[in-house]
Amino acid sequence: MTAARHAVPASTAATLVMGILNVTPDSFSDGGRFAGTDAAIAHAHRMVANGADMVDVGGESTRPGAQRVEPAEELQRVLPVVRALAQDGIKVSIDTMRASTAEACVVAGATLVNDVSGGLADRDMGAVVAATNVNYIAMHWRAHSTTMDAQDRYEDVLREVRDEIAARVESLVAAGVSADRIIVDPGLGFSKVSDTNWPLLARLNEWSGGHRVLIGASRKRFLGTVIARPGIDAADPARRDHATTAVTALAAQAGAWAVRVHDARASSDAVRVVSAWQNAFDATR
Ligand code: PMM
């Protein structure tokens, strides 16, 4: 064995784990559980203790069929939580389609704006993000939750998602957002009710345009479809956690920048396993 094979490998950065904190009464898997400020803050701390690198705070459910909440209501739900977590030194992402909510939460300490509409829902989003130094997640999105399932028509899902994300990136850059601050996301389950989710996972590099990638598969319906079999109640979102962890491992192996998950511990463990595996591969080349 040569000396080089014993050297500490120059591994690429490990995939980050983003813990989901829905401060909502109606999200599809955890709606109502962390709707109060104190319960939300306590849950965020639990996720960080379990390995979450950051916490994504959302005050508006985007489950299929969900109605929009008023801007003041959304802000009232998220702002005290964002402020408290940022003060506690936790890296906070704000999950919102509204520029005004994003702006207030960045002032309160959020360092990442997670916009499921990629800037389509609020024309002011690009300018607000451009005026800050935060990173911005542009998710592939076609329509609000009430109608999104009807927008699941693709001739070539990889090409169409790539082109639609590229158009969002172009518009954000035109608004002044620097391209290297944009993270892209395929929007699993958003206008993707059928098998269209899987090619996007299997071929991250073919639609991401070279940007960092966030994957949000946690507990989603398409995982339930895959794991359903006699005796397995895959209709319950929480029963999809093992499948979620498998996606985390594969996304980490494929070089995803981060995964957005409910069960931070399981995904954090999975990321560590992938890093150990990759490091051993590199060290024995
Ligand atoms: N999914 C949901 C909400 N926000 N944000 C990003 N960037 N990507 C996603 O896939 C995503 C998201 C819906 O899931 P939830 O109700 O469990 O939060």
Side-chain angles (χ1 to χ4, degrees):
M1 217 182 248
T2 65
R5 295 181 80 180
H6 292 289
V8 176
S11 65
T12 51
T15 298
L16 300 172
V17 174
M18 171 187 273
I20 299 173
L21 187 61
N22 287 319
V23 195
T24 57
D26 58 343
S27 288
F28 81 97
S29 128
D30 53 0
R33 287 191 59 202
F34 312 113
T37 303
D38 290 346
I41 292 168
H43 185 58
H45 279 275
R46 266 197 305 278
M47 289 194 289
V48 170
N50 279 324
D53 298 289
M54 54 192 155
V55 172
D56 188 40
V57 182
E60 181 172 53
S61 173
T62 49
R63 75 180 155 74
Q67 302 290 332
R68 299 220 60 191
V69 297
E70 290 301 316
E73 170 71 24
E74 183 192 26
L75 196 57
Q76 197 186 348
R77 290 177 183 176
V78 295
L79 197 57
V81 178
V82 168
R83 186 175 292 125
L85 297 182
Q87 276 170 3
D88 290 344
I90 293 175
K91 184 172 165 59
V92 180
S93 155
I94 173 65
D95 183 351
T96 185
M97 292 182 266
R98 287 199 178 93
S100 56
T101 304
E103 191 170 31
C105 288
V106 169
V107 170
T111 55
L112 188 56
V113 173
N114 174 23
D115 178 359
V116 298
S117 82
L120 280 173
D122 187 336
R123 68 174 70 179
D124 294 334
M125 186 62 96
V128 161
V129 174
T132 70
N133 269 328
V134 297
N135 281 325
Y136 175 81
I137 298 163
M139 197 191 82
H140 178 257
W141 183 90
R142 285 183 164 178
H144 282 289
S145 299
T146 42
T147 57
M148 68 179 180
D149 281 358
Q151 304 287 326
D152 174 44
R153 296 262 153 69
Y154 302 89
E155 277 177 23
D156 179 342
V157 69
L158 292 172
R159 176 176 53 74
E160 286 163 70
V161 168
R162 182 196 67 205
D163 290 351
E164 289 168 36
I165 285 182
R168 296 316 312 144
V169 169
E170 197 181 328
S171 158
L172 290 156
V173 169
V177 181
S178 90
D180 62 4
R181 285 205 272 130
I182 300 174
I183 296 145
V184 297
D185 178 330
L188 302 173
F190 287 81
S191 296
K192 298 167 199 82
V193 288
S194 59
D195 291 344
T196 42
N197 294 287
W198 290 105
L200 293 164
L201 281 168
R203 296 186 176 273
L204 299 188
N205 294 333
E206 292 188 22
W207 55 263
S208 58
H211 291 271
R212 290 174 287 171
V213 170
L214 175 79
I215 293 297
S218 193
R219 298 183 178 171
K220 287 190 175 166
R221 288 173 295 177
F222 74 103
L223 298 180
T225 306
V226 163
I227 62 175
R229 54 199 184 274
I232 300 291
D233 178 16
D236 174 4
R239 299 291 288 271
R240 303 170 188 160
D241 274 339
H242 298 308
T244 302
T245 308
V247 171
T248 291
L250 291 162
Q253 182 75 20
W257 171 74
V259 289
R260 180 181 179 278
V261 295
H262 298 88
D263 184 346
R265 168 84 191 270
S267 278
S268 179
D269 288 354
V271 165
R272 281 168 167 72
V273 167
V274 171
S275 291
W277 185 301
Q278 287 180 341
N279 289 344
F281 182 81
D282 292 345
T284 53
R285 205 181 288 276

